[in-house]
Amino acid sequence: MMKQLGWVLAVVMISLTACAPNNVKEEKGWEKYFSQYKVEGTFMLFNNSQGVFKVYNLDRAKERFLPASTFKIFNSLVGLTTGVIKDTGMVIPWDGVTREVPGWNQDLSMQQAFKLSAVPYYQEVARRIGKDQMQMWLDSVKYGNMKISRIDTFWLDNTLQISPDEELGFVKKLYFDQLPFSKTAMKSVRDVMVMEKTPKYELSYKTGWGVVGKKNIAWVVGYIEENRHPSFFVLNFETEDPKLDLIKARMDILRNILTDAGYFKGEM
């Protein structure tokens, strides 16, 4: 246990720089939310104002996985900073190829494409950015393993990989304007990440779903704000069950853990 706490402290100091040893807590009680859907996963939660860091499944939190559509955060930042994406209203015309997600089969703005998690839109953005420029930004941010294969599939085909801990550090830096992108780009991405806004809380995130062999890898990366106090979270899990409603399971686990941790009441 001491060895694990030592690793967590190192993670927090490097990625989050905001925590003391007595504020690190391993939340084994969160296991039930994963067991409900028979999935193996991890959840990381950092309350920035309190400096409290909670983790379920420490070992998985440091493993790298394909980012899938959580990479749309990074892709958007590069696109907006370089001018490849003029603004969040920039439309890329539909290429006429009918895909299984109906919402993708139309002309889309960046804001729409982000909300719909439209892969074709962001594949075109990546092609326009180009491999050399994309590699430069990956290296500058030190995003995961920083590897590129094909420019329009590398975040989907398991070439690029990132750990839940690295995702948490990345989204925290985005929130505080600490990434090497333009401040306008970072604000625009934060704006499109807002998925729920109520008088009690504001929930911002990006989901992801990738396939590696028989495994479906699921993500939710983001933060929740109450009284202008942000808490950053990462959910990651995997399943080989083809019948699992992964989209429902993903959001149920997220909301159940945040509720368990005391969120959604406007009291944090």
Side-chain angles (χ1 to χ4, degrees):
M1 182 63 183
M2 289 303 296
K3 184 177 179 181
Q4 288 180 324
L5 287 176
W7 171 80
V8 173
L9 178 57
V11 166
V12 173
M13 290 179 67
I14 292 169
S15 297
L16 304 177
T17 62
C19 202
N22 61 336
N23 287 334
V24 176
K25 184 177 181 183
E26 188 176 1
E27 287 285 354
K28 293 185 178 179
W30 290 346
E31 181 179 6
K32 60 181 176 286
Y33 301 118
F34 293 88
S35 298
Q36 178 184 355
Y37 288 99
K38 299 179 181 178
V39 297
E40 179 184 350
T42 185
F43 195 91
M44 310 183 78
L45 179 63
F46 181 73
N47 184 313
N48 191 76
S49 62
Q50 297 177 6
V52 176
F53 185 69
K54 298 180 180 181
V55 185
Y56 166 69
N57 197 344
L58 291 169
D59 291 337
R60 187 178 179 90
K62 59 184 176 180
E63 291 181 34
R64 284 175 170 167
F65 306 88
L66 81 169
S69 284
T70 66
F71 186 70
K72 287 182 174 68
I73 299 172
F74 187 97
N75 207 353
S76 297
L77 289 165
V78 177
L80 288 163
T81 298
T82 60
V84 165
I85 302 174
K86 183 180 178 182
D87 53 42
T88 59
M90 191 190 89
V91 172
I92 293 180
W94 178 39
D95 60 9
V97 178
T98 301
R99 297 175 175 87
E100 62 182 17
V101 181
W104 297 0
N105 303 323
Q106 59 181 319
D107 298 350
L108 293 172
S109 67
M110 187 205 117
Q111 183 173 18
Q112 291 172 315
F114 193 94
K115 300 288 188 185
L116 291 168
S117 204
V119 171
Y121 184 100
Y122 279 93
Q123 286 182 309
E124 179 59 23
V125 168
R127 287 190 287 266
R128 294 182 187 185
I129 291 169
K131 192 171 183 178
D132 290 346
Q133 188 159 225
M134 186 72 82
Q135 186 68 65
M136 184 272 288
W137 286 105
L138 286 170
D139 294 343
S140 296
V141 174
K142 291 182 171 52
Y143 186 95
N145 65 1
M146 301 171 281
K147 292 184 178 180
I148 295 179
S149 53
R150 276 185 49 177
I151 186 58
D152 56 3
T153 61
F154 68 94
W155 66 93
L156 302 168
D157 64 15
N158 209 31
T159 300
L160 182 66
Q161 296 181 333
I162 189 168
S163 69
D165 172 59
E166 289 170 324
E167 287 264 32
L168 188 67
F170 176 70
V171 78
K172 178 176 181 287
K173 288 177 181 178
L174 169 62
Y175 182 91
F176 288 112
D177 277 341
Q178 294 172 343
L179 293 170
F181 300 104
S182 73
K183 288 193 175 182
T184 300
M186 288 187 281
K187 183 182 185 305
S188 293
V189 172
R190 290 194 298 269
D191 288 346
V192 298
M193 284 179 67
V194 177
M195 299 295 175
E196 294 180 28
K197 192 169 186 176
T198 77
K200 292 184 178 180
Y201 67 87
E202 191 168 303
L203 186 63
S204 302
Y205 61 84
K206 183 70 195 77
T207 57
W209 178 355
V211 179
V212 181
K214 293 182 180 180
K215 291 182 179 180
N216 288 276
I217 309 293
W219 290 95
V220 189
V221 178
Y223 46 89
I224 184 168
E225 291 179 273
E226 296 188 9
N227 302 307
R228 297 193 176 184
H229 296 150
S231 293
F232 304 93
F233 59 79
V234 175
L235 167 64
N236 168 283
F237 67 83
E238 66 182 59
T239 180
E240 293 187 15
D241 182 0
K243 296 181 181 179
L244 178 68
D245 186 343
L246 190 144
I247 293 173
K248 181 180 185 301
R250 188 170 57 189
M251 296 312 298
D252 281 354
I253 294 171
L254 173 69
R255 297 192 73 88
N256 286 339
I257 291 179
L258 289 178
T259 299
D260 185 300
Y263 291 87
F264 302 120
K265 296 184 292 186
E267 299 173 358
M268 302 300 285

